[in-house]
Amino acid sequence: MDFAQAHAQWLERHIAIRTGERRGRLMRGHQYAEKLLLENVWWPVFGTLEHLHPEYEIYDWNRKSQFLDFAFLPAYGRFGIECDGFQSHVKDLDRESFSYALNRDTFLTGMGWRMLHFSFDDIQKRPEVCRMLLQLVVGPYLLRQPTASTERMLEKDLIRLAWTLGRPLRPKDVTERFGINFRTARKHLRSLCDKGLLKPKDQGRDIRHYELIADPLEMLG
């Protein structure tokens, strides 16, 4: 399958599962520049769009909704990828917006994201530079074999996940994110409840939703 076919199917799939503003944002936000980033930079390196999410919603420290151009979410990493045009991302920024953009990236780094920014000029005219940088940042991380993480590390990852979802956390979210089975996911979620970091949203024994009650900044410190 060539890029055009893969991109069309990938975009159609993401549009189909979106609703409301998330769907509208995808329809408005994924345009020529974003597609060119995938075609010139991403596709030549990976040859697949698997685990890549366009116009991905995240939340800042004030729980304000923001959208990344792309989120790459393999089993053991989180990468935010932005295509920055000079006019819209630099020249027209006021001081407050400039400060917020820097603080947002710093906050996301603290929450476990790895942020990559590519200029539209490089994507269009010097894509080989972008490909080199993409491989430099993502390649070693993806080649690393999964190892048994400590309880503390997994707890931090679960707290980060609960924060970034912006909704109650489900065992299904944990199984999909970390590649563990449902029973193990539920065990770790219950452990966090026992420690006062999460609380069950449902009643009874069949709990399927958990809410974050701990301050993630304290937990991740």
Side-chain angles (χ1 to χ4, degrees):
M1 183 181 300
D2 63 16
F3 169 76
Q5 292 174 309
H7 177 264
Q9 293 181 12
W10 170 81
L11 187 59
E12 183 179 351
R13 183 170 67 254
H14 280 281
I15 291 174
I17 62 177
R18 301 281 183 95
T19 60
E21 174 56 21
R22 292 178 180 179
R23 189 174 191 271
R25 177 67 186 228
L26 177 55
M27 299 289 289
R28 298 190 305 271
H30 189 77
Q31 300 296 330
Y32 175 75
E34 290 76 19
K35 181 179 179 182
L36 193 66
L37 188 155
L38 297 182
E39 185 173 11
N40 283 3
V41 180
W42 188 270
W43 187 262
V45 173
F46 294 107
T48 177
L49 302 177
E50 187 178 7
H51 304 307
L52 196 64
H53 302 261
E55 294 299 324
Y56 187 81
E57 187 174 27
I58 51 96
Y59 295 87
D60 68 10
W61 57 95
N62 291 318
R63 305 296 290 171
K64 180 181 178 182
S65 173
Q66 297 286 320
F67 288 84
L68 301 175
D69 288 340
F70 301 99
F72 180 49
L73 304 174
Y76 291 89
R78 282 182 294 177
F79 301 84
I81 303 167
E82 297 274 67
C83 172
D84 296 339
F86 179 78
Q87 183 71 17
S88 59
H89 287 269
V90 178
K91 189 176 180 180
D92 290 344
L93 283 181
D94 56 29
R95 288 183 178 272
E96 183 177 354
S97 298
F98 176 71
S99 295
Y100 176 82
L102 296 180
N103 291 337
R104 188 198 72 164
D105 271 21
T106 302
F107 175 78
L108 290 175
T109 299
M111 296 299 289
W113 288 84
R114 288 164 174 78
M115 297 300 298
L116 295 86
H117 290 265
F118 299 110
S119 76
F120 177 72
D121 287 346
D122 278 347
I123 292 168
Q124 188 176 40
K125 300 175 183 178
R126 295 172 290 274
E128 68 282 355
V129 174
C130 302
R131 292 195 291 266
M132 179 271 294
L133 294 173
L134 178 64
Q135 290 176 304
L136 180 67
V137 175
V138 180
Y141 194 78
L142 295 180
L143 290 173
R144 191 176 69 191
Q145 293 298 319
T147 58
S149 56
T150 65
E151 195 77 14
R152 176 70 172 172
M153 290 172 61
L154 182 56
E155 286 181 354
K156 287 186 175 185
D157 286 339
L158 289 173
I159 292 298
R160 289 188 182 104
L161 179 60
W163 175 265
T164 56
L165 282 176
R167 58 168 171 76
L169 180 65
R170 306 168 301 173
K172 179 181 178 182
D173 299 319
V174 179
T175 63
E176 293 177 350
R177 182 69 181 80
F178 299 103
I180 59 180
N181 62 46
F182 182 87
R183 185 175 181 179
T184 302
R186 188 168 58 182
K187 180 190 74 171
H188 287 301
L189 291 171
R190 287 177 175 174
S191 174
L192 289 174
C193 288
D194 292 340
K195 295 178 180 180
L197 303 172
L198 297 177
K199 66 178 180 180
K201 186 175 176 60
D202 312 304
Q203 300 296 323
R205 297 184 60 184
D206 189 23
I207 300 171
R208 294 300 182 97
H209 299 84
Y210 297 81
E211 293 181 314
L212 181 66
I213 59 176
D215 183 343
L217 300 183
E218 292 181 3
M219 174 61 193
L220 298 173

